[in-house]
């Protein structure tokens, strides 16, 4: 078990150049630092929040980080449309809870799935983790969906950007459905991977499928469209070479523990918490379930009396809002 | 006889610590276990509190009924805290969240979360560390939103193991050799405290140090 949960970060071949060298023996934004940021989140729960009140509930419940969204996936599914970057004001009011007040200092992730299709547009850029500005540079190649949103988010000081439609450099969380997709994202610079799952459904089945696919493919790693050195490293470690979380459809403590037993390092919970009857209680229960994923007694205790769970949707052809995983969610 | 070193496994980078412990080859074999419950803790001769989110770790410790057993453990047995673990081991924390950060105490320091501010919160630095195996080889300190030691309790028997070199400090200090804020690794008796993450490197010398200098002598003495 210990082996499968250990992350030995390997820099991607196309790693961003060592940068911001401080005088001689210190450096910022190295791969060790970038992946280290993600490693500190392991064994934890990252919660989607859309306002400061939810961020506070997440913190009280023991979330290790929050993800600021304009709308949670369940609402996007119900109302249609795309998920944009959060209103910067919303992220700025989070600071009182999360960002600016580093005494609390939950890392904040912001969403910038823009629906803005620039898959053919390229921008040469890298994000400087140290001063959190988007810095244009000619060395690391990045295709960014909506780079203006990225600039805004960096300006106001988010810690990670979640982006699965386009490739990024720097510690970005990317969704993946299988090993090939995961390793391609890592080779593009992702230091943090999650399952795509089927967001906003309260149905964990797709997340399970993606995690199992990754796991099975790691066991027989052939015919995978991925950089060979990363494939080799993955085979050696018998796990993804970066931190890897579950995401998409997690609604109960049991869902969260299931994903942990399948080998994930932690979980993202979106609609599952704030679309349920008692968000604070459920949030805390899911946090406990991730820690004690192998302890059925604690799992049984923390699953009790949580009130109503979010409505679970069947993932079939009639799924309202369609498959977000296909959109790159 | 083997020695059992536990790693508090509530949240954070605990698997990495276990991996480093497993790579040690010492006279006395080390058994490493993950600690999630008071029963797990009872099996341990020593404990490592890893990096992660210190408020999350403290909350989970409370929910698991571990706060009092941990305080008791720290009174009697060697404990090493890295980053968030260092915060939890401190006597007081400056800049904690509103209703206070729950601490375990045990080491007589006052510490600040993310004390250098966002400009230098995450970086690597080559450190000279006293007492490590091969002391002339610098140790790569990976600092991830590192806490900063603000001061020591008077007459506390603190042994400073490593400081950030003056040229790496974000701002000049009046007297960098006497300023607690430059201290990144220290010992007080059987306890070890590092504000950075030795477990994120492949270098096991800090784990070796903890076992040889903090754990083995305490076992012999008891």
């Amino acid at each position: 078990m210990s082996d499968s949960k250990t992350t030995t970060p390997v820099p991607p071949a196309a790693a961003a150049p060592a940068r911001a060298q401080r005088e001689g023996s210190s450096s910022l934004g190295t791969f060790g630092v970038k992946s280290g940021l993600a490693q500190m989140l392991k064994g934890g729960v990252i919660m989607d929040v859309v306002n400061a009140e939810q961020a506070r509930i997440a913190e009280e419940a023991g979330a290790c980080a929050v993800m600021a969204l304009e709308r949670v996936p369940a609402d996007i599914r119900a109302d249609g449309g795309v998920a944009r970057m959060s209103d910067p004001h919303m992220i700025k009011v989070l600071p009182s809870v999360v960002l600016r007040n580093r005494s609390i200092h939950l890392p904040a992730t912001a969403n910038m799935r823009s629906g803005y299709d620039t898959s053919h547009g390229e921008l040469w850029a890298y994000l400087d983790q140290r001063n959190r500005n988007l810095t244009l540079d000619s060395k690391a190649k990045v295709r960014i969906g909506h780079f203006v949103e990225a600039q805004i988010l960096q300006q106001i000081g988010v810690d990670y950007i979640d982006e699965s439609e386009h490739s990024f450099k720097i510690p970005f969380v990317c969704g993946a459905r299988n090993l090939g997709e995961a390793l391609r994202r890592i080779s593009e610079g992702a230091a943090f991977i999650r399952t795509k799952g089927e967001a906003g459904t309260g149905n964990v089945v797709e997340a399970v499928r993606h995690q199992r696919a990754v796991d099975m493919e790691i066991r027989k790693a052939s015919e995978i469209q991925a950089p060979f050195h990363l494939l080799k490293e993955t085979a050696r470690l018998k796990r993804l070479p970066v931190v890897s979380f579950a995401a998409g459809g997690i609604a109960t403590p049991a869902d969260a523990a299931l994903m942990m037993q399948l080998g994930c390092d932690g979980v993202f919970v979106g609609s599952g918490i704030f679309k349920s009857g008692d968000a604070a209680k459920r949030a805390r229960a899911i946090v406990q379930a991730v820690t004690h994923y192998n302890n059925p007694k604690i799992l049984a205790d923390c699953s009790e009396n949580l009130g109503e769970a979010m409505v679970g949707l069947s993932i079939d052809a009639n799924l309202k809002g369609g498959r977000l995983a296909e959109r790159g969610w | 006889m083997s020695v059992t070193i536990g790693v508090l496994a509530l949240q954070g980078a605990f698997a990495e610590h276990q991996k480093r412990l497993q790579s040690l080859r010492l006279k006395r074999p080390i058994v490493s276990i993950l600690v999630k419950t008071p029963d797990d803790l009872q099996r341990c001769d020593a404990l490592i509190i890893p990096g992660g989110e210190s408020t999350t770790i403290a909350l989970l410790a409370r929910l698991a009924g571990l706060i009092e057993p941990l305080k008791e453990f720290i009174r009697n047995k060697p404990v090493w805290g890295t980053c968030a673990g260092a915060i939890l081991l401190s006597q007081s924390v400056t800049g904690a969240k509103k209703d206070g950060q729950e601490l375990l105490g045990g080491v007589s320091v006052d510490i600040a979360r993310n004390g250098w501010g966002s400009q230098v919160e995450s970086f690597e630095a080559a450190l000279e560390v006293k007492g490590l195996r091969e002391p002339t080889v610098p140790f790569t300190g990976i600092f991830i939103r590192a806490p900063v030691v603000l001061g020591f309790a008077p007459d506390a028997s603190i042994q400073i193991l490593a400081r950030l070199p003056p040229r790496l400090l974000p701002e000049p200090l009046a007297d960098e050799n006497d300023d607690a804020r430059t201290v990144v690794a220290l010992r007080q008796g059987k306890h070890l405290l590092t504000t950075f993450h030795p477990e994120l490197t492949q270098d096991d010398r800090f784990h070796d140090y903890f076992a040889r200098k903090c754990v083995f002598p305490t076992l012999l003495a008891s």
Side-chain angles (χ1 to χ4, degrees):
Chain A
M1 186 185 74
S2 64
D3 275 356
S4 72
K5 293 281 181 189
T6 310
T7 317
T8 308
V10 287
R19 55 182 161 272
Q21 287 286 333
R22 299 167 80 210
E23 300 163 36
S25 59
S26 168
S27 46
L28 300 147
T30 63
F31 196 78
V33 166
K34 282 182 279 173
S35 61
L37 279 159
Q39 277 168 297
M40 291 311 122
L41 301 174
K42 286 172 71 172
V45 179
I46 300 174
M47 299 182 191
D48 285 356
V49 297
V50 299
N51 57 44
E53 171 63 9
Q54 292 186 352
R56 197 191 56 76
I57 292 173
E59 194 210 359
E60 292 297 318
C64 65
V66 294
M67 172 133 122
L69 298 176
E70 178 206 28
R71 290 183 295 166
V72 292
D75 288 335
I76 292 159
R77 194 171 281 295
D79 307 337
V82 297
R84 297 189 183 85
M85 178 187 82
S86 308
D87 181 331
H89 176 71
M90 194 282 271
I91 303 178
K92 275 175 149 168
V93 293
L94 288 184
S96 59
V97 200
V98 182
L99 287 173
R100 213 159 282 159
N101 181 353
R102 288 296 178 178
S103 63
I104 285 157
H105 134 121
L106 290 186
T109 304
N111 185 26
M112 62 155 282
R113 303 178 193 99
S114 57
Y116 174 86
D117 184 7
T118 53
S119 46
H120 302 295
E122 287 185 3
L123 180 71
W124 295 80
Y126 72 78
L127 291 162
D128 185 328
Q129 185 66 21
R130 181 186 181 193
N131 57 25
R132 297 171 163 178
N133 287 322
L134 183 72
T135 313
L136 295 182
D137 182 87
S138 60
K139 294 195 177 99
K141 180 173 152 187
V142 184
R143 281 187 298 267
I144 296 179
H146 197 320
F147 57 84
V148 177
E149 288 189 349
Q151 289 167 343
I152 293 169
L153 292 172
Q154 290 296 312
Q155 182 60 39
I156 60 176
V158 300
D159 300 298
Y160 288 85
I161 291 181
D162 184 303
E163 216 321 348
S164 51
E165 291 172 42
H166 307 286
S167 51
F168 262 93
K169 294 292 171 195
I170 289 295
F172 294 111
V173 188
C174 291
R177 287 166 294 186
N178 53 54
L179 181 59
E181 195 171 3
L183 294 185
R184 285 194 297 277
R185 296 289 93 83
I186 295 166
S187 78
E188 289 157 0
F192 190 177
I193 292 289
R194 58 172 173 79
T195 60
K196 278 189 175 168
E198 196 49 55
T201 59
N203 187 340
V204 77
V205 66
E206 287 297 300
V208 169
R209 190 166 289 150
H210 298 160
Q211 181 61 21
R212 281 199 193 282
V214 169
D215 198 43
M216 211 146 78
E217 287 162 356
I218 286 173
R219 283 175 216 201
K220 42 175 189 178
S222 59
E223 306 288 317
I224 305 285
Q225 292 172 30
F228 184 63
H229 75 284
L230 283 176
L231 203 54
K232 257 178 35 184
E233 184 63 9
T234 302
R236 188 180 74 77
L237 296 169
K238 300 189 179 65
R239 57 153 293 148
L240 286 178
V242 300
V243 172
S244 133
F245 270 43
I250 291 153
T252 67
D255 289 348
L258 170 65
M259 297 310 299
M260 294 299 288
Q261 289 196 22
L262 290 172
C264 292
D265 294 319
V267 303
F268 281 87
V269 189
S271 330
I273 289 173
F274 292 105
K275 291 291 169 188
S276 73
D278 187 339
K281 210 165 170 187
R282 183 166 295 265
R284 180 166 291 200
I286 290 175
V287 168
Q288 279 186 281
V290 167
T291 294
H292 300 287
Y293 67 91
N294 261 335
N295 187 325
K297 186 183 176 305
I298 296 179
L299 292 177
D301 289 348
C302 75
S303 299
E304 269 185 27
N305 297 318
L306 296 184
E308 221 169 307
M310 76 175 281
V311 177
L313 303 176
S314 298
I315 299 170
D316 56 24
N318 301 321
L319 177 61
K320 183 157 190 207
R323 290 207 169 203
L324 297 179
E326 307 285 328
R327 291 199 206 172
W329 195 282
Chain B
M1 282 304 293
S2 68
V3 174
T4 302
I5 301 181
V7 184
L8 191 64
L10 300 171
Q11 190 270 322
F14 47 82
E16 286 76 3
H17 271 297
Q18 195 181 32
K19 182 93 174 170
R20 292 282 80 74
L21 287 173
Q22 285 165 345
S23 72
L24 293 179
R25 295 289 171 266
L26 298 171
K27 278 180 195 156
R28 300 183 70 169
I30 305 280
V31 176
S32 68
I33 64 169
L34 295 179
V35 174
K36 292 175 190 278
T37 64
D39 287 348
D40 297 335
L41 187 63
Q42 271 204 328
R43 296 168 52 203
C44 300
D45 299 309
L47 184 73
I48 298 174
I49 305 180
E53 267 304 314
S54 59
T55 46
T56 299
I57 294 172
L59 175 67
L60 283 160
R62 176 151 293 286
L63 294 174
L66 269 166
I67 296 284
E68 288 310 317
L70 281 169
K71 286 182 175 170
E72 177 67 23
F73 191 94
I74 293 165
R75 278 193 284 274
N76 300 307
K77 295 180 177 175
V79 181
W80 171 20
T82 57
C83 197
I87 294 170
L88 292 170
L89 272 187
S90 297
Q91 194 174 57
S92 61
V93 60
T94 297
K97 72 172 193 174
K98 265 188 218 138
D99 37 358
Q101 153 109 45
E102 189 149 36
L103 298 177
L104 300 168
V107 178
S108 311
V109 301
D110 180 38
I111 206 162
R113 296 186 59 158
N114 196 43
W116 289 122
S118 63
Q119 289 297 307
V120 284
E121 66 182 13
S122 300
F123 58 96
E124 289 182 16
L127 302 171
E128 284 172 32
V129 187
K130 288 176 197 144
L132 288 193
R133 206 179 61 216
E134 302 172 71
T136 54
V137 181
F139 192 95
T140 303
I142 300 181
F143 294 80
I144 308 284
R145 308 167 140 206
V148 170
V149 175
L150 294 180
F152 315 112
D155 62 2
S157 51
I158 302 277
Q159 190 185 344
I160 291 160
L161 302 180
R163 288 181 186 268
L164 270 183
R167 67 179 185 285
L168 298 180
L169 297 175
E171 56 194 85
L173 300 175
D175 182 358
E176 62 237 1
N177 289 319
D178 196 36
D179 196 312
R181 289 177 290 174
T182 62
V183 175
V184 294
L186 62 89
R187 237 181 100 178
Q188 184 178 23
K190 53 189 177 292
H191 300 322
L192 181 61
L193 195 148
T194 54
T195 61
F196 54 96
H197 294 279
E199 76 282 7
L200 297 186
T201 66
Q202 304 292 318
D203 190 338
D204 66 10
R205 285 181 294 158
F206 255 97
H207 293 77
D208 171 88
Y209 179 94
F210 180 59
R212 285 189 302 108
K213 301 284 175 81
C214 301
V215 182
F216 294 170
T218 309
L219 286 176
L220 280 178
S222 63

